[in-house]
Amino acid sequence: MDLPPIYHHTGLETSGGATRVARLLISGLKKQKVETNLSFELAEKADGAAILPEDFGRYLPDVALGHVHCTGNWSALLGSIAPGRKTIITMHDCDLFTGGCPYPLDCSNLDEGCAEPCPRKFPDSTGIRKAKFRQVRRLESTLVAPSRWLARLARTHLHRAVVVIPNGIPWPNRPLPKAAARQQLGINPAAKVVVFAAHGGMTAAYKSGDAWRGIWQQLKDRHPELLCFAVGGDKEERQGDLVIWPYVERRKLSLLMTAADVLLYPTKADNHSLVILEAMSQNLPVVSYAVGGVPEQITDGVTGMLVPPGDPAAFLDAATTLLANPVMIRQMGMEAFSAGQKRFSYQRMVSGYMQLYARTLDSQNQ
C-alpha cells in the first residue's frame, strides 16, 4: 500500500495514552516502509524540542497527511492547517467537542452547548467549543474514536461521521509465568497482589486516585495477606503492605501485572484504556466501573468484573469475590489474554489506520 508521509502530532513527548498510540502507530508504519514523523507540544525531557499548536500547519509538508492525536489548543492547531488539506483526528477523550473538559461526566451543560457559567470553571467554555466546531467543519477532517462509546458522543455533538478503530498494543505470544515474575520482583509466591495504575497515581482525578488508599484499606481488612501496588505518581515509598511506585517504564509495569492477581481500576471516565489492555496482555483480570468504553474491552464475568459506576460497595464486593477465588482469577486472566489478542493487537490497529489513510487519500483525489 503506497502512502505519503504521515505526520503525527500529540501533546506530550513521552507519556500519556495518546502519545503511546502515536508511537505504536509510527512503529507499525515504519515496518510497512511508510515515512512518519511525530511532533509534540510539551517536552518532558530537558533537551526535548516542541512546537506550538499554531505552528503545526507550517511544519506539515504539502505531500504529507496530518494525523492529530491531541493538543492543548484545538482551534489554534486546526486553524494552522490550510483549507483543503485532509487531516485525521483521533479523539482520545472528549475535549474536541467540549468547552474544556476531557470528560463531561454527568455535566448537563454539555447538552446546552457548554453553556456558561461552566461548573468546572473553564473560561469562555461556549466560545471555545464553538471555535473548535468551526475548525472541524472547515477542514472536513476524518474523525476517529477508539471506542463506540466516544464515537456516539462525537457524532451527537459534532454532527459528523466517526470511524471506530480500537486501540492496540503489542501482545506477547505467552506471558511470563506468575511465579517467575514474582521472583524477579521479590514478591512472596503465596501473597495476594492487587495493582492500581494510572498516569498521575493517587492524584489521577478521573481514575479515582484519591480513593485508592481507602479501597486498599477496606480490601486489606477482608484479605489480611493482601499486598498492594499503587503505580503512576511521582514518588516511591512503602507503607506496610502498600507499595507506591512512580510512573515506571512499560516493561516493569508489565512484569508487575504478570505477578499480580487483580488490577483494580475504579475509573470515573474512560475512552479505551491502554492500562486495561496491558493487564489483559498479562493474563490479569480487571475490576472496573462500567463507564465509557470500558465495557467494550471487558466482558463482565468472563475477562473481568464490571460494576455500576459510582458504586464503591459493589466495587469492593467484586474485588473481594475475585480475590477469594484463585480458579476464577486464573480462568478470567486466560480469557482476557485470548480475547485481547484477537481484538486489540497493535498490528490490527495499524492495519485499520493504514486502510483509513488510503480511503482518505482516495476521497481527496476524487
Side-chain angles (χ1 to χ4, degrees):
M1 185 184 299
D2 292 328
L3 292 173
I6 311 295
Y7 271 50
H8 296 266
H9 182 83
T10 186
L12 299 177
E13 177 187 7
T14 57
S15 62
T19 299
R20 183 154 191 244
V21 168
R23 291 189 181 279
L24 285 170
L25 272 176
I26 287 172
S27 173
L29 291 169
K30 284 182 175 178
K31 291 178 181 178
Q32 299 296 324
K33 309 301 182 185
V34 178
E35 182 183 342
T36 62
N37 178 77
L38 175 62
S39 59
F40 53 88
E41 294 166 16
L42 296 175
E44 294 179 309
K45 297 178 180 177
D47 58 350
I51 67 170
L52 296 173
E54 55 265 32
D55 289 335
F56 177 68
R58 181 161 61 88
Y59 285 99
L60 185 62
D62 291 340
V63 297
L65 181 65
H67 187 161
V68 181
H69 294 267
C70 69
T71 172
N73 190 331
W74 280 108
S75 298
L77 185 140
L78 297 180
S80 74
I81 302 172
R85 291 295 301 276
K86 291 289 186 179
T87 308
I88 308 291
I89 298 175
T90 295
M91 295 173 286
H92 294 274
D93 55 29
C94 303
D95 186 54
L96 186 61
F97 53 85
T98 71
C101 59
Y103 292 101
L105 298 176
D106 57 354
C107 180
S108 60
N109 282 32
L110 177 65
D111 293 329
E112 303 298 327
C114 289
E116 298 180 64
C118 172
R120 298 183 192 168
K121 312 301 182 184
F122 285 101
D124 191 24
S125 56
T126 303
I128 288 173
R129 187 175 189 260
K130 288 180 178 178
K132 294 175 187 177
F133 283 24
R134 283 195 297 270
Q135 294 301 336
V136 171
R137 288 194 298 269
R138 181 183 70 85
L139 286 177
E140 297 185 358
S141 306
T142 300
L143 302 181
V144 182
S147 68
R148 296 189 300 275
W149 166 80
L150 183 58
R152 287 193 297 269
L153 271 179
R155 291 186 195 111
T156 298
H157 293 283
L158 293 170
H159 309 292
R160 294 284 304 280
V162 182
V163 179
V164 177
I165 302 178
N167 288 333
I169 63 171
W171 220 265
N173 292 327
R174 171 182 310 176
L176 189 71
K178 182 178 292 190
R182 290 192 172 193
Q183 184 177 30
Q184 289 189 40
L185 293 171
I187 297 174
N188 188 326
K192 291 184 178 179
V193 182
V194 294
V195 175
F196 293 97
H199 188 60
M202 292 184 178
T203 65
Y206 287 112
K207 312 307 178 193
S208 300
D210 60 347
W212 289 6
R213 192 182 298 274
I215 295 171
W216 144 247
Q217 288 171 341
Q218 292 181 74
L219 281 176
K220 181 69 170 175
D221 290 341
R222 302 182 185 189
H223 298 277
E225 71 278 31
L226 200 60
L227 174 65
C228 175
F229 287 81
V231 184
D234 57 5
K235 62 182 179 180
E236 181 172 358
E237 62 179 294
R238 179 158 187 166
Q239 302 170 4
D241 285 337
L242 174 62
V243 182
I244 300 172
W245 279 2
Y247 186 85
V248 295
E249 52 91 16
R250 193 62 49 186
R251 184 173 299 179
K252 188 172 183 179
L253 179 60
S254 295
L255 186 65
L256 176 61
M257 287 186 168
T258 305
D261 293 298
V262 179
L263 172 67
L264 302 175
Y265 197 64
T267 179
K268 297 177 182 177
D270 243 300
N271 175 13
H272 198 272
S273 168
L274 293 182
V275 171
I276 288 177
L277 297 189
E278 293 285 356
M280 295 176 73
S281 74
Q282 302 302 324
N283 274 3
L284 183 64
V286 181
V287 176
S288 176
Y289 288 125
V291 297
V294 172
E296 298 171 42
Q297 299 177 283
I298 299 171
T299 302
D300 184 34
V302 179
T303 64
M305 300 185 76
L306 298 175
V307 299
D311 189 340
F315 189 94
L316 281 167
D317 287 345
T320 299
T321 297
L322 196 51
L323 286 167
N325 195 328
V327 174
M328 184 185 295
I329 288 173
R330 185 166 56 253
Q331 184 62 38
M332 280 189 176
M334 292 170 60
E335 293 285 353
F337 178 89
S338 178
Q341 189 177 45
K342 294 174 184 175
R343 299 170 57 205
F344 305 128
S345 71
Y346 104 101
Q347 292 92 337
R348 184 170 180 175
M349 178 180 70
V350 171
S351 176
Y353 275 107
M354 288 187 67
Q355 294 174 38
L356 179 63
Y357 296 148
R359 293 199 302 271
T360 301
L361 293 166
D362 284 346
S363 68
Q364 185 177 21
N365 295 328
Q366 290 176 357

